[in-house]
Amino acid sequence: MKYLLRPALCLALLGVAACDEIAVADDPTALADLRGQKSCLAAVGKETGVSGVTINKTRPVVELYRHIVDVPGGGSWACITDQSGKAIEIVEQRSG
């Protein structure tokens, strides 16, 4: 019985993860932005080895294809994506 629950849970999580993309599927700009956020979170998380990274929604970003990613206890990173939403460059932001 427990072996059947794991695949069912995985399918449910994949369905939830795809819902946000389905919601913006008819807007190519919004879809690229959403994919860019996900790609940036994954890239910064992989680089830092920290889980729980988040997109900063408080600092304004006026450039297209750019996101600010906050790392818990570790500052912020700037992330640049291509037009399809794939992270192509990440840079740790330093103050001072």
Side-chain angles (χ1 to χ4, degrees):
M1 178 71 171
K2 70 178 180 179
Y3 298 109
L4 296 176
L5 291 177
R6 185 171 286 162
L9 180 60
C10 289
L11 285 175
L13 290 175
L14 285 174
V16 169
C19 286
D20 53 357
E21 289 198 17
I22 291 171
V24 295
D26 60 337
D27 184 350
T29 304
L31 184 59
D33 186 58
L34 179 64
R35 288 180 176 165
Q37 289 180 23
K38 289 179 179 181
S39 180
C40 286
L41 290 172
V44 172
K46 182 178 178 183
E47 179 68 24
T48 63
V50 176
S51 62
V53 297
T54 58
I55 296 293
N56 184 308
K57 301 281 188 181
T58 60
R59 291 172 50 191
V61 178
V62 295
E63 296 91 356
L64 293 175
Y65 314 118
R66 296 179 190 265
H67 304 279
I68 304 297
V69 180
D70 291 334
V71 177
S76 297
W77 290 66
C79 177
I80 301 170
T81 65
D82 62 14
Q83 291 181 347
S84 66
K86 181 180 178 192
I88 56 174
E89 183 178 345
I90 59 172
V91 178
E92 185 176 11
Q93 296 186 325
R94 300 179 189 255
S95 61

